[in-house]
Amino acid sequence: MAYPTVSAPYGLKPVNLIGGQVFAGSTRLMEIATSNNVGYATSIFYGDLVKRVGGGTIELDNGQTTATPCGVFLGVQFTNASTGQVQQQQFYPASTAVKAGTQIFAVVADDPDTLFQVVSCNATTVVTAMGITAIGSNVALIQNVGSTTTGNSAVAINTTTLATTPALPIRIIDVVRDTATGADAFVEFIVKININTHQYTTPTGV
């Protein structure tokens, strides 16, 4: 069976939990800050990493070697300032205007045991294969900006940063064999947010 070519990164996509547990879509609603009925001034795309900040809200986590996320963004809901209707969508547009007295809520996959599928690149969005020896390594992120057309993230893992360094945010758990481009050339990987960097498992508070 032929599988589609992976031509670009799409962020982190939840697939299951460590140990083979099923990812049943369990998420948490987390507030995005507003001021004078206008939301946080940075767009967040489906598959982007997010982090808790002071005040109990979340923001985009755009760290490459220094990310300390609480999870991955999977959508947003808010009350539209113009229509007064609740709106749900794939990505959060920067500085979204909302109805007075309402909040913006992100949908976040925040279980520290979640495993994600992600594309490997060596620069920006250049898809680059790695061999099976990448399994077990820690790796940095490439923080490409997502698409306002699809709403999807363009975050990838960086093939040039494989290391044992515990401070790197991502651990490579496995390869995705279905989209391999050769006998030992994989462009999609199963990864996990590192225990030293996930905000629920690191001892450092916000």
Side-chain angles (χ1 to χ4, degrees), residues 64-196:
Q64 300 195 89
T65 61
T66 60
T68 55
C70 66
V72 171
F73 178 91
L74 300 180
V76 67
Q77 64 182 48
F78 57 89
T79 303
N80 188 290
S82 300
T83 66
Q85 300 297 311
V86 175
Q87 190 168 323
Q88 297 175 329
Q89 58 189 52
Q90 183 95 340
F91 82 103
Y92 165 75
S95 304
T96 293
V98 298
K99 182 180 178 181
T102 66
Q103 291 80 41
I104 303 170
F105 290 101
V107 180
V108 180
D110 69 337
D111 188 334
D113 286 342
T114 305
L115 298 180
F116 300 92
Q117 186 169 303
V118 66
V119 173
S120 57
C121 295
N122 71 355
T124 60
T125 58
V126 181
V127 177
T128 305
M130 294 191 289
I132 198 168
T133 56
I135 294 175
S137 295
N138 294 333
V139 67
L141 296 158
I142 301 175
Q143 293 283 359
N144 302 302
V145 177
S147 168
T148 57
T149 301
T150 65
N152 290 332
S153 170
V155 169
I157 54 172
N158 190 336
T159 61
T160 68
T161 62
L162 296 181
T164 59
T165 309
L168 287 173
I170 299 297
R171 170 71 59 85
I172 297 175
I173 303 298
D174 205 351
V175 298
V176 176
R177 299 180 185 275
D178 291 340
T179 54
T181 58
D184 189 33
F186 305 98
V187 295
E188 291 182 303
F189 292 83
I190 305 301
V191 302
K192 181 179 179 292
I193 299 171
N194 249 332
I195 190 171
N196 287 339

Side-chain angles (χ1 to χ4, degrees), residues 9-70:
Y10 45 71
L12 282 77
K13 180 172 67 176
V15 290
N16 59 5
L17 304 183
I18 199 76
Q21 303 171 76
V22 175
F23 175 73
S26 178
T27 55
R28 186 179 305 278
L29 291 180
M30 298 185 180
E31 187 174 346
I32 296 174
T34 57
S35 178
N36 297 319
N37 306 318
V38 175
Y40 171 60
T42 300
S43 295
I44 312 175
F45 297 89
Y46 186 100
D48 278 349
L49 291 152
V50 292
K51 62 183 177 182
R52 287 282 191 185
V53 294
T57 58
I58 62 163
E59 294 180 357
L60 176 70
D61 189 340
N62 60 6
Q64 300 195 89
T65 61
T66 60
T68 55
C70 66

